[in-house]
Amino acid sequence: MLERNGAVAALLSAGGSRRKDGDGQRREWNMSLSEPARERHSRQMRFAPIGEHGQLALRSSRVLIVGVGSLGASLAQHMVRSGVGELRLADRDYVEWSNLQRQMLFDEDDAHLSLPKAIAAADKLRRIDSSVQIEAIVADLTSPEALEAAAAGCDLVLDGTDNAAVRLCLNDWCFRNGVPLMYGGIAGASGMSAPLVPGETCCLRCLIGGEQEQESGETCDTVGMLSPAVEMVAALQAAEALKWLSGNRGEIRRTLASVGVWPLSLREMRLPGPSASCRICSGATVVSHTLDSVEAAKTAVTAVLCGRDTVQVELGATGDPGMYRRRLEQVGCSVIQNPYLLRAELPTGEGRLVVFPDGRVLVQGTSDPEEALRCCELYLTG
């Protein structure tokens, strides 16, 4: 019996079959799309650089999108509608009313229920194409273990983050593991995009600096964000992703594109190659997930989230967030719980705690890490 590898199995799920000769013996694989898949993607397949071969390549691909907010939600739609075989969605946050202006996968029901963004996005995307395998990951990928679990085996990583620390963790993982990173960033009415390919281009650190340099720039918190600008940057990222995944890798753009919609602007800068002085993109061996890196992740207990007065605190406890419910209600908090999180409105009316099963707490109503820690101690751990 012929053995099927992972790629063949993925193609079969899209309608592949074995060809029989005159005496009924199975002779070779006939890689083909099912009729429903062929009809669904017919217009894309008529585009000559993709065709049927590229469509089959897309169907056998596995993609990770990190951050399922503004950019990530649009990127996820592009990937599912284009026909990728497997999509992983990773996000540490949940849907709020302020997201609905620009995060195209979410609606008022998601905000009412305080659904995690990855969960809400996966639900919408399965309605678009039920044949795509979609995994929702509610986690903070600055954790080395969480990042490794989410990214392992992926062909491509799409950057939908709004946080420099997460973005640099993605950059380092991708360049250590030979996986392209499609970078994207946006603030106000403009943004940037660059396809970063290990061994061919510089890494993100060489391109725009480390965490301090990235955090010093404009953010959606300081200058706001327009939804048309989101779609423009997402389109640039998605186009490069389609080139890579469909086998048109020689067509990958080798530039950093800066775009704006108000006023309209477009500039390109050629990407440098790998830097001999950079420990990430020079090809130097870097051991990931060492004991030191794990311990360092544990000590980084707070992170200020972009776009609103919110600090993430890592308590280190895991399990059911409902363990805090009785205590919170006894001190006058209004509590809502769903299968993914517990949300408590503080009795002072000046803040909110959102507790996730992985031990993370979003303290909303402050941007001061020390104040966030005091709040957690007062209402949860004290």
Side-chain angles (χ1 to χ4, degrees), residues 8-333:
V8 171
L11 293 174
L12 282 177
S13 70
S17 62
R18 280 174 171 166
R19 180 183 302 168
K20 296 182 180 180
D21 61 16
D23 62 5
Q25 297 298 313
R26 291 176 293 196
R27 303 287 293 179
E28 61 181 356
W29 291 101
N30 173 27
M31 301 303 183
S32 62
L33 294 162
S34 66
E35 285 307 313
R38 187 178 296 278
E39 180 178 0
R40 178 189 291 267
H41 301 295
S42 59
R43 300 304 187 273
Q44 182 166 280
M45 290 167 62
R46 290 179 187 177
F47 181 63
I50 293 183
E52 183 165 348
H53 177 79
Q55 195 63 50
L56 287 167
L58 283 165
R59 178 60 69 174
S60 67
S61 64
R62 180 186 292 128
V63 175
L64 169 65
I65 298 177
V66 183
V68 196
S70 301
L71 284 175
S74 294
L75 290 168
Q77 286 204 73
H78 282 296
M79 293 300 100
V80 167
R81 293 184 187 277
S82 69
V84 299
E86 184 177 341
L87 185 65
R88 296 175 183 171
L89 307 171
D91 196 289
R92 64 186 183 181
D93 207 351
Y94 70 101
V95 182
E96 298 187 84
W97 287 96
S98 62
N99 302 146
L100 303 183
Q101 166 257 338
R102 65 196 180 281
Q103 299 183 12
M104 300 302 182
L105 279 177
F106 308 131
D107 56 35
E108 292 185 355
D109 287 344
D110 300 323
H112 274 303
L113 295 171
S114 298
L115 289 179
K117 290 182 181 180
I119 299 293
D123 180 61
K124 301 294 195 310
L125 294 166
R126 291 187 185 109
R127 299 181 211 171
I128 293 173
D129 190 342
S130 59
S131 71
V132 178
Q133 297 181 47
I134 300 173
E135 180 182 359
I137 302 168
V138 184
D140 183 346
L141 296 197
T142 54
S143 160
E145 298 94 337
L147 175 53
E148 180 65 30
C154 287
D155 303 295
L156 188 73
V157 175
L158 286 163
D159 172 21
T161 67
D162 60 4
N163 179 276
V166 179
R167 184 173 280 144
L168 291 173
C169 287
L170 290 182
N171 171 78
D172 297 354
W173 187 93
C174 285
F175 273 77
R176 284 196 292 261
N177 289 276
V179 177
L181 171 66
M182 300 301 169
Y183 159 68
I186 185 169
S190 61
M192 297 187 295
S193 169
L196 303 175
V197 181
E200 298 182 19
T201 72
C202 66
C203 71
L204 188 63
R205 291 179 183 273
C206 294
L207 186 64
I208 57 177
E211 185 171 348
Q212 184 175 356
E213 290 86 353
Q214 292 188 50
E215 293 288 15
S216 63
E218 294 181 335
T219 69
C220 60
D221 194 23
T222 59
V223 298
M225 188 180 296
L226 291 184
S227 59
V230 172
E231 297 303 311
M232 181 173 282
V233 174
L236 291 174
Q237 290 176 272
E240 301 309 309
L242 288 179
K243 292 175 188 177
W244 185 267
L245 297 171
S246 66
N248 293 279
R249 298 181 177 183
E251 300 299 318
I252 290 288
R253 172 169 51 84
R254 296 295 195 271
T255 62
L256 169 68
S258 300
V259 297
V261 298
W262 195 333
L264 180 63
S265 63
L266 173 60
R267 294 183 291 110
E268 287 187 283
M269 179 192 78
R270 181 164 294 279
L271 288 171
S275 170
S277 62
C278 175
R279 65 180 180 88
I280 299 299
C281 63
S282 64
T285 301
V286 180
V287 179
S288 59
H289 314 307
T290 61
L291 178 62
D292 288 343
S293 66
V294 172
E295 291 303 317
K298 290 180 180 178
T299 61
V301 295
T302 64
V304 179
L305 272 62
C306 174
R308 60 192 190 278
D309 287 339
T310 300
V311 177
Q312 176 178 277
V313 178
E314 298 179 21
L315 293 182
T318 59
D320 181 11
M323 63 187 290
Y324 299 111
R325 181 163 192 156
R326 183 177 179 182
R327 175 187 176 94
L328 289 165
E329 290 177 335
Q330 286 178 337
V331 296
C333 294

